[in-house]
Amino acid sequence: MIAPLQVEVGKPVTFDGYAEDYGKPIVSVEFSLDNGEHWTAFDVSDSVGERWVHWTFSYTPVKPGFYRLLVRSVNDEGTASPLADVAEFTAA
């Protein structure tokens, strides 16, 4: 879980973290800003299962309001994390 934060409209905010899938290689980390309806992938296909995979995601809010970023990993078998991590932030 990433702590909520305040950001400015029109200025990028960058999130980063680590993903791990208990020995299975992670091939992508996916992000959603529409409650999981659409996902954007961050390619990490060169990762190996024995280590954590570092990811980053940058987003520039275009209007004021509350945002909820979902983050999940996908392993080499095509299985996505059953529960996405959540980062909530407000743009003003």
Side-chain angles (χ1 to χ4, degrees), residues 31-52:
F31 309 95
S32 176
L33 283 161
D34 61 5
N35 207 29
E37 195 168 322
H38 300 92
W39 293 90
T40 300
F42 178 84
D43 182 26
V44 294
S45 57
D46 62 346
S47 67
V48 293
E50 296 82 39
R51 66 176 189 201
W52 290 70

Side-chain angles (χ1 to χ4, degrees), residues 12-27:
V13 59
T14 300
F15 300 90
D16 69 327
Y18 291 88
E20 198 269 333
D21 195 6
Y22 306 100
K24 294 182 183 166
I26 294 173
V27 295

